[in-house]
Amino acid sequence: CRAMTDDDQGVAGDLARLRRSIDNLDAAMVHLLAERFRCTDAIGELKARHGLESRDPRREAAQLKRLRILAAQSGLDPDFTRKLHALVVREVITNHEAVKFESGAG
């Protein structure tokens, strides 16, 4: 096992600092997703109460288009954004269908 050089310690410090930032960002993403799902859960209840469809393909398409533009402007791969959006929408639809079933509307 070799002793850490000043350069090694600098790299270790940089990694620790960057990882703290990543940890903070991950926490923020979890909180943002939780808030998003609180909103979509309320939408699911509203849709179930009024007999509306769980899916809104026009809304989904408009959101995806908007998110892809935002991703490109932010330097994020728009295809990654599409995949993430699809994952979130799938979960939202699953939740909406469960609410509809539980309410007896489905």
Side-chain angles (χ1 to χ4, degrees):
C1 190
R2 68 180 179 85
M4 286 187 71
T5 65
D6 287 343
D7 191 46
D8 292 339
Q9 290 175 358
V11 170
D14 288 346
L15 281 172
R17 180 180 48 77
L18 290 167
R19 287 175 174 158
R20 280 191 304 274
S21 290
I22 288 170
D23 292 348
N24 289 339
L25 291 164
D26 286 345
M29 286 190 301
V30 167
H31 292 297
L32 287 170
L33 284 170
E35 183 62 24
R36 188 187 197 287
F37 278 99
R38 277 190 282 280
C39 292
T40 58
D41 288 350
I43 288 171
E45 291 170 12
L46 186 64
K47 285 181 173 184
R49 219 173 18 253
H50 294 279
L52 301 172
E53 292 296 320
S54 296
R55 290 199 82 138
D56 185 344
R58 286 191 345 200
R59 165 74 175 164
E60 292 171 30
Q63 278 295 88
L64 180 56
K65 181 179 179 180
R66 186 178 73 82
L67 292 173
R68 289 177 65 91
I69 291 168
L70 287 170
Q73 291 170 343
S74 299
L76 184 63
D77 179 3
D79 194 49
F80 170 76
T81 302
R82 177 193 58 77
K83 293 173 189 175
L84 180 59
H85 180 257
L87 175 68
V88 170
V89 168
R90 244 188 337 269
E91 186 66 19
V92 168
I93 298 305
T94 298
N95 294 345
H96 286 190
E97 290 295 318
V99 168
K100 185 190 290 188
F101 179 77
E102 290 168 6
S103 72

